Amino acid sequence: MSDIAVAGLLIAALFLILGSGVWIGLTLSGVAWIAMQIFSSRSAGDAMAVTIWGSASSWTLTALPLFVWMGEILFRTRLSQDMFKGLAPWMQSLPGRLLHTNVVGCAVFAAVSGSSAATCATIGKMSLPELKRRGYPDDMVIGTLAGAGTLGLLIPPSIIMIVYGVSADVSIARLFIAGVIPGIMLALLFSGYIVFWALRHPDRVPPADAKLPFMEKLKASMSLIPVALLILSVLGSIYAGIATATEAAAVGVVGAMIISGAQGSLTWQSFRDALLGATRLYCMMALILAGAAFLTLAMGYIGLPRHLAEWIGSLGLSKFQLILALAAFYVVLGCFLDGISMVVLTMGVIMPTVTAAGIDPVWFGIFVVLVVEMAQITPPVGFNLFVLQGMTGKDLLYIARVTLPMFFLMVAAVLIIYFVPQLVTWLPQQMAP
């Protein structure tokens, strides 16, 4: 049977099982079992047991549940209120005024939460009612929040970076540090768009609040100090080479508990809810990663990734054409799958091609995160769109439409990091060995 026929059969099996309502992790394992059983002489059961155990016992992967837990703890604190109170006085003089709190607030919370949906929900639960009360237009409030919420994937610590690092065998610590400059750049692009919009529509921007003296602004910003210290302890320990990503995640959990305790929001109930929430989310991710590891092994046995890499190589695509093709592929795939599934499903097949093209795997990781971010705001399976639909009651297509400018800014960010790759690679090169 030809490679095209084998790939077609496996893709058909994948969508058939997914369409029947089976969990994604079990679907991936099922497709891998079919591939091993039909197209390989090795025992499928033995291969599945060894691979899934190896995937589940990965020390590197330990960072994932810890960062998820840290985000769950902070989600249940007064962090969003404190951040709005601390940031708002500084935003009043900028064109667009308090709309910038969506972007800056999401960027700050992204640095203590690895989830895009959690970032969007946490900042949204404070900024949506507050900005609506002050008369800011719904389309800009919702659009900027949906776009800025995706910073939870790019600014470390990021769950999707851990998943990519494990799937592609790339240093998670280097991925984290590589995401800092592109994350700040994307936040600046979002804020730049708000400035541009505000200068074009000054009549739609509500008047500024009464000006506060400088010392009053500083006093209001004191509430940001615990978050700043937490960010510094997590990212600083990784950058300085003091801690691995897993050890930094443990530091983050302890720091989140201290912040929660100091605010008075750490009760037995909130601790239990955060732990159960993190456990449920991680079990779902671990099942997907285990299924993907087995599928990657099965693909290796039947030689599909190698043949695909050879086929793409025979097309004679330039590096830029390959990146454009992969970006389009991930955006389309993101219309049907969530980010984690996209990464684990494709890495085993895509990475040999990327390596053969001479693309830096750390740079490619940031590229993948950016295109997965785009998928977070594209219907029908855009998680940030679902979060905002639940919070605002607006139609999904309306939310997607007002978020479209943010999508194009992400496209611009992909082009920028392609033509200036040092934005991604410079910081990891400066890390302590």
Side-chain angles (χ1 to χ4, degrees):
M1 190 180 285
S2 70
D3 290 336
I4 295 175
V6 170
L9 177 65
L10 294 179
I11 290 169
L14 177 72
F15 282 104
L16 185 66
I17 300 172
L18 272 178
S20 64
V22 176
W23 292 346
I24 292 173
L26 297 180
T27 298
L28 298 179
S29 297
V31 173
W33 187 85
I34 292 169
M36 293 285 289
Q37 199 71 11
I38 299 176
F39 304 110
S40 169
S41 57
R42 182 174 175 183
S43 165
D46 173 60
M48 181 168 68
V50 171
T51 309
I52 289 178
W53 171 254
S55 169
S57 60
S58 164
W59 168 249
T60 308
L61 201 57
T62 314
L64 188 53
L66 289 173
F67 278 126
V68 171
W69 190 17
M70 182 177 81
E72 287 282 340
I73 293 167
L74 293 172
F75 179 69
R76 290 166 172 79
T77 64
R78 296 196 319 268
L79 190 60
S80 59
Q81 292 94 320
D82 288 350
M83 282 171 58
F84 192 91
K85 187 172 68 178
L87 294 172
W90 302 97
M91 305 295 146
Q92 294 285 355
S93 57
L94 294 174
R97 298 198 177 93
L98 296 185
L99 286 172
H100 293 279
T101 57
N102 271 347
V103 177
V104 181
C106 284
V108 173
F109 190 77
V112 289
S113 167
S115 165
S116 170
T119 300
C120 190
T122 303
I123 301 305
K125 73 181 179 182
M126 183 60 202
S127 71
L128 283 172
E130 188 67 26
L131 295 180
K132 186 179 180 66
R133 184 180 67 79
R134 292 171 185 248
Y136 285 86
D138 280 353
D139 56 343
M140 282 300 292
V141 173
I142 294 170
T144 54
L145 181 60
T150 64
L151 292 169
L153 297 181
L154 187 56
I155 295 178
S158 162
I159 290 171
I160 209 84
M161 284 184 191
I162 298 173
V163 171
Y164 170 83
V166 171
S167 302
D169 195 23
V170 177
S171 165
I172 293 170
R174 291 190 176 277
L175 282 170
F176 277 5
I177 299 305
V180 172
I181 294 177
I184 294 170
M185 177 193 74
L186 189 57
L188 289 174
L189 285 175
F190 290 154
S191 277
Y193 172 73
I194 293 172
V195 170
F196 172 75
W197 173 86
L199 293 174
R200 285 195 63 200
H201 305 93
D203 53 310
R204 298 186 68 194
V205 181
D209 294 343
K211 283 193 175 182
L212 288 177
F214 181 74
M215 292 309 293
E216 287 292 319
K217 289 183 180 180
L218 278 182
K219 187 178 177 183
S221 301
M222 293 291 282
S223 58
L224 297 176
I225 290 175
V227 186
L229 289 175
L230 184 59
I231 294 168
L232 191 64
S233 62
V234 172
L235 295 186
S237 61
I238 295 174
Y239 183 77
I242 299 169
T244 63
T246 303
E247 291 161 349
V251 170
V253 169
V254 173
M257 284 189 184
I258 291 170
I259 290 174
S260 183
Q263 288 186 352
S265 56
L266 184 61
T267 62
W268 170 248
Q269 185 62 39
S270 68
F271 176 84
R272 183 175 174 276
D273 289 346
L275 188 57
L276 288 175
T279 302
R280 278 192 294 268
L281 187 55
Y282 174 67
C283 286
M284 179 269 288
M285 293 176 186
L287 187 60
I288 292 174
L289 285 167
F294 184 33
L295 184 60
T296 300
L297 178 78
M299 294 297 103
Y301 267 97
I302 64 178
L304 208 56
R306 179 171 50 82
H307 295 148
L308 179 65
E310 289 170 357
W311 176 70
I312 291 175
S314 70
L315 294 176
L317 295 176
S318 68
K319 192 183 289 187
F320 183 60
Q321 289 171 327
L322 177 61
I323 289 298
L324 286 181
L326 287 174
F329 167 71
Y330 276 113
V331 169
V332 171
L333 197 61
C335 292
F336 308 99
L337 292 174
D338 66 280
I340 292 172
S341 303
M342 285 165 60
V343 172
V344 297
L345 190 57
T346 57
M347 278 309 112
V349 179
I350 295 289
M351 279 313 289
T353 306
V354 169
T355 307
I359 296 171
D360 183 336
V362 172
W363 181 92
F364 187 70
I366 302 305
F367 162 80
V368 166
V369 170
L370 271 170
V371 291
V372 167
E373 278 188 339
M374 296 180 201
Q376 296 288 306
I377 53 173
T378 53
V381 188
F383 273 66
N384 282 20
L385 303 184
F386 288 141
V387 169
L388 284 169
Q389 185 185 34
M391 295 178 80
T392 64
K394 299 280 188 183
D395 179 70
L396 195 69
L397 290 178
Y398 166 82
I399 299 172
R401 180 173 60 79
V402 299
T403 309
L404 202 57
M406 304 298 145
F407 178 87
F408 289 122
L409 289 173
M410 291 180 199
V411 173
V414 169
L415 293 174
I416 290 169
I417 66 163
Y418 177 81
F419 290 109
V420 192
Q422 293 81 7
L423 289 170
V424 175
T425 57
W426 182 75
L427 262 185
Q429 289 166 359
Q430 311 308 311
M431 283 177 67

